[in-house]
Amino acid sequence: MLPGLAADSVVISHNPSDPDDVLIELYGCSPETVTRAVQRATRAQPEWLAAGAAARSAALHRVGDALEAAHEELAGLLVREVGKPLTEAREELTRAVAIWRYYAQLPQEAPGTVQEPTSGPGLLLTRRRPHGVAGLITSWQFPLAAPSWDAAPALAVGNTVVVKPAPEATACALRVAEILKGVLPSGVLQIAPGGPEIGAALADLADVVSFTGSSEVGTAVVCAAASRGVPARLEVSGHNAAVVLPDANVARAAVDIAAAIACCAGQKHTATKRVIAVDSVLPKLREALKQALQSLSARDPNTTEAVCGPVISKTARDRVIQARDSALASGAHVLAGDTRVRRERAAGWYVDPVLLENVPDDHDLNRRGISGPVAVLSKVMTFDAAIRAANSGRYGVVSSLHTSDLEKALSAVGRLNAAMVRVNAPTTGTEFLLPLGREKDSRGVREKERATMDFYTSTRTVSLLPAVSA
């Protein structure tokens, strides 16, 4: 049991590739412990802001340096705790370091603007000010990069931070906190491990809230924040479509789409869940996807060749198998992905990437999808029908289009109802240099890049006029 943690709920984190390997077992925080963490952060925030832009910038650079120094250790921990393939784990660490160094520049940004008054002498100013304490409720898919996307800009503009990690990624969060001890001032960045009740407590206490997870829980977080007039940002479910036109480079498109189905075992919010083939491209695309996915079968994430590792839990694996069987019972057939567990990897929560065809329109896989390496292939006859099909889902994270027709590519950019449109690229992959948001039920204000400054600060208007003689 960690010092200061109350015995309310037990947090257990297993190795998905070897469930008997328990990384961590501890009592999570109680809501009272979260209250004390927020109080410490509240006390630390004025001094953190008053330290000035140069001090905050230097501190964020030190965080990047500390993470870089622990690169291989943390990459190994990512593999062990969430089953992320080694190559991708190393890439996540590299990205996390780059994120902290990028946002280390943010404190030097102008804190506002200056305007001339409409009449008479004086100045009209805008000044950005931090909200206070940022509560970050994070998911396990990117245990280091995703919290960095939120924590780094929140700290850069003068907030302090309390992070509630996903239980499945608790060991990663606590190890980072140990590495950063002494790098940041006391109380500036704290970890509050635990279950849903801890996230709820943080949403009820923080001055600004960022949430990553399911749309159902996200709705509750937004309601809790809205009831207090507190800004909240959500990153929730994706049901992303990849559209392939007859003029596409089919071999290249199949490689990109297969990777977007299989990487991180299909558990990213940007994973491809629907593949929409237009007219005559279907037969060629079907065969290319089958071959590409067969080469991406689930394997030990400790190998550099692995693209698809285990899913995060037995429940997640069972959900994939049940969805596949349900679709088959409804008349679908499997193009790729035998979900039977192989003997040599029976200990882990492995499932091969699954591609299904002829799935009924009203099946869950066509309506919202599941977290796992499962996708549906379907055919439409026209480009317009493909756009309608891609836009038909509840969620709007990302859509991809594969074509060599520039006119259709530009048309799709304006018509696809997703926050990100990627042409001749997989749905997976985001750039922290660009703002990222969500459409429809995926919801969410823009984040990353300079858009985070708007979210993690409030803008105050100041009128500075000359004194009038008595």
Side-chain angles (χ1 to χ4, degrees):
M1 181 170 173
L2 295 181
L5 299 187
D8 261 34
S9 60
V10 177
V11 175
I12 304 175
S13 179
H14 296 268
N15 178 346
S17 60
D18 180 8
D20 290 335
D21 175 21
V22 176
L23 282 82
I24 201 164
E25 183 172 357
L26 54 81
Y27 291 109
C29 294
S30 67
E32 292 75 19
T33 309
V34 177
T35 299
R36 292 194 291 273
V38 171
Q39 290 171 343
R40 285 193 296 272
T42 299
R43 291 192 297 270
Q45 192 270 329
E47 186 174 350
W48 172 246
L49 176 63
R56 293 197 303 277
S57 177
L60 267 60
H61 272 297
R62 290 196 300 272
V63 172
D65 293 344
L67 294 179
E68 185 175 54
H71 189 282
E72 283 304 296
E73 176 201 348
L74 290 174
L77 186 56
L78 277 177
V79 174
R80 186 179 167 208
E81 185 167 37
V82 302
K84 180 159 290 194
L86 180 58
T87 297
E88 189 174 351
R90 287 170 172 163
E91 291 171 352
E92 179 172 343
L93 259 297
T94 299
R95 171 166 288 206
V97 171
I99 288 167
W100 284 95
R101 289 174 176 166
Y102 174 78
Y103 284 112
Q105 305 169 65
L106 196 57
Q108 310 294 344
E109 291 283 317
T113 60
V114 179
Q115 294 286 123
E116 288 290 331
T118 54
S119 63
L123 292 173
L124 302 180
L125 312 176
T126 62
R127 294 277 296 180
R128 294 181 184 274
R129 302 290 290 176
H131 293 293
V133 178
L136 311 182
I137 304 167
T138 64
S139 68
W140 58 265
Q141 285 90 338
F142 292 90
L144 298 177
S148 297
W149 276 323
D150 281 322
L155 292 170
V157 295
N159 297 284
T160 50
V161 166
V162 178
V163 180
K164 203 296 281 187
E168 299 89 341
T170 299
C172 287
L174 293 178
R175 180 61 187 129
V176 168
E178 290 176 2
I179 290 170
L180 298 185
K181 189 175 182 179
V183 174
L184 294 170
S186 176
V188 168
L189 174 63
Q190 299 174 76
I191 307 296
E197 72 283 358
I198 302 308
L202 189 55
D204 284 338
L205 293 167
D207 301 306
V208 57
V209 179
S210 174
F211 171 85
T212 304
S214 70
S215 56
E216 293 78 14
V217 177
T219 298
V221 168
V222 157
C223 290
S227 70
R228 299 188 296 118
V230 166
R233 180 207 70 80
L234 306 182
E235 180 182 341
V236 300
S237 311
H239 189 211
N240 310 302
V243 175
V244 184
L245 303 188
D247 57 28
N249 180 330
V250 174
R252 181 68 253 174
V255 169
D256 285 346
I257 293 169
I261 294 170
C263 67
C264 201
Q267 298 167 113
K268 298 179 180 180
H269 288 172
T270 55
T272 295
K273 300 300 177 184
R274 296 174 292 149
V275 185
I276 301 167
V278 177
D279 196 16
S280 60
V281 79
L282 178 63
K284 188 176 180 181
L285 179 64
R286 180 193 292 125
E287 292 306 311
L289 277 173
K290 286 168 61 175
Q291 292 182 22
L293 285 170
Q294 286 165 2
S295 70
L296 298 178
S297 60
R299 60 179 65 187
D300 183 350
N302 291 285
T303 63
T304 55
E305 298 82 11
V307 172
C308 180
V311 291
I312 192 64
S313 66
K314 181 181 183 299
T315 300
R317 186 183 67 186
D318 291 346
R319 192 180 297 123
V320 172
I321 296 172
Q322 290 163 7
R324 169 187 176 273
D325 291 347
S326 170
L328 291 176
S330 301
H333 64 267
V334 175
L335 296 175
D338 183 346
T339 60
R340 291 173 299 182
V341 178
R342 297 178 185 173
R343 182 176 300 173
E344 68 270 18
R345 60 183 196 196
W349 294 315
Y350 290 98
V351 58
D352 285 338
V354 178
L355 181 64
L356 296 157
E357 195 173 20
N358 297 332
V359 176
D361 290 341
D362 61 352
H363 194 277
D364 263 3
L365 289 175
N366 268 323
R367 293 167 53 211
R368 60 177 183 172
I370 62 171
S371 180
V374 185
V376 173
L377 175 64
S378 60
K379 177 183 176 180
V380 296
M381 294 307 298
T382 66
F383 172 66
D384 289 340
I387 297 296
R388 289 194 297 272
N391 287 341
S392 65
R394 290 174 52 194
Y395 305 109
V397 178
V398 55
S399 293
S400 68
L401 176 73
H402 300 266
T403 181
S404 59
D405 187 325
L406 179 59
E407 183 177 354
K408 283 189 169 62
L410 292 174
S411 174
V413 167
R415 297 170 61 190
L416 286 168
N417 194 2
M420 289 190 295
V421 177
R422 293 170 63 83
V423 178
N424 296 321
T427 55
T428 50
T430 61
E431 272 292 345
F432 62 85
L433 301 176
L434 297 174
L436 170 64
R438 302 291 187 273
E439 302 291 345
K440 298 189 286 187
D441 282 4
S442 298
R443 291 191 300 277
V445 299
R446 267 44 184 171
E447 57 170 329
K448 303 180 176 63
E449 201 253 355
R450 295 304 193 269
T452 51
M453 187 184 288
D454 292 328
F455 178 64
Y456 285 114
T457 60
S458 62
T459 300
R460 300 175 183 179
T461 302
V462 179
S463 299
L464 186 60
L465 304 178
V468 178
S469 301

